[in-house]
Amino acid sequence: MPYTDKARIERFLLHDIHTSFDAQVIEWIEAMSSYIDGYTNRTFIADHGESDAPTVKLYDGTGKYTLLIDDFIELESVTRDGVELDDVKTYPANTLPKYELYHHSGFPRGRQNIAVAAVWGYSEEPPADIMLACTILVAGIIQHHIKLDGETTKEKIGNYEVWYSDKQAKDFINAKAILDRYRKIPL
């Protein structure tokens, strides 16, 4: 699911985008949503799989009682070398997303010996500020294709050029600041 839509972008730009550009706008939205995932090392919309069943990811045991894993919103099961573990605690305790497991017996060292079945992702819906950041980025691409009044600033986002008037450059800086707050060090 993309992190913005045409209507949100039109409201941000304060003008309509002709329907003949719908396919192109969708492509830009998908590209910027993907860019956000790559930049932050997160997926902001939970992946429920094809049959709404949790999916399994394998992790290397660390020899410690805790194990850092990818963001998830719901834990189904944890197995160690094929044996299901009970009483696995998830952290942070009172917020989503979860990204750490604790087990009183630990997670013994090994390659791909820990299997975690979960609903992976940051949340059910992207946070409002992530939707805003995506909207700003796509609006900048659109503005590259229309005449802007006054001075302009160009930024390169992935394979796309994003143009902002001086007034809108602050929006781009704010969008980057939003994304920086969500950045996660890859596992």
Side-chain angles (χ1 to χ4, degrees):
M1 178 179 162
Y3 299 154
T4 192
D5 57 35
K6 182 182 171 189
R8 220 178 236 111
I9 296 164
E10 288 175 329
R11 288 191 303 271
F12 181 80
L13 292 172
L14 300 177
H15 66 77
D16 292 340
I17 301 167
H18 194 274
T19 57
S20 64
F21 291 103
D22 283 357
Q24 185 61 60
V25 170
I26 289 169
E27 180 183 313
W28 291 331
I29 290 169
E30 290 172 356
M32 289 302 100
S33 296
S34 179
Y35 169 79
I36 289 170
D37 285 353
Y39 184 82
T40 61
N41 295 307
R42 295 183 184 275
T43 301
F44 287 95
I45 301 173
D47 179 9
H48 288 277
E50 292 180 21
S51 62
D52 263 359
T55 55
V56 176
K57 291 186 178 185
L58 298 175
Y59 294 92
D60 295 345
T62 60
K64 299 179 180 179
Y65 293 104
T66 60
L67 183 66
L68 294 177
I69 62 174
D70 295 306
D71 294 340
F72 66 96
I73 62 169
E74 182 181 317
L75 182 66
E76 176 76 16
S77 66
V78 179
T79 60
R80 179 181 59 216
D81 295 321
V83 177
E84 187 164 354
L85 301 178
D86 57 350
D87 197 33
V88 173
K89 305 265 191 270
T90 62
Y91 292 93
N94 298 312
T95 61
L96 292 176
K98 309 284 188 193
Y99 52 83
E100 183 177 358
L101 302 177
Y102 170 85
H103 191 261
H104 58 85
S105 297
F107 300 97
R109 288 189 181 278
R111 296 282 183 185
Q112 299 182 359
N113 62 335
I114 308 298
V116 180
V119 176
W120 302 100
Y122 187 88
S123 57
E124 288 289 347
E125 296 289 327
D129 53 351
I130 289 295
M131 292 190 295
L132 174 62
C134 191
T135 300
I136 290 168
L137 295 175
V138 176
I141 293 170
I142 291 169
Q143 289 173 339
H144 172 73
H145 296 282
I146 60 176
K147 184 178 186 253
L148 296 174
D149 295 330
E151 296 294 316
T152 60
T153 302
K154 177 176 84 169
E155 296 286 340
K156 186 111 167 122
I157 300 290
N159 295 326
Y160 295 91
E161 288 182 352
V162 180
W163 290 82
Y164 295 95
S165 70
D166 284 345
K167 291 182 243 176
Q168 295 155 331
K170 288 180 184 173
D171 289 333
F172 179 76
I173 291 167
N174 289 338
K176 292 289 278 183
I178 289 167
L179 298 180
D180 287 342
R181 283 194 309 269
Y182 283 96
R183 259 187 132 164
K184 179 176 137 183
I185 297 170
L187 296 174

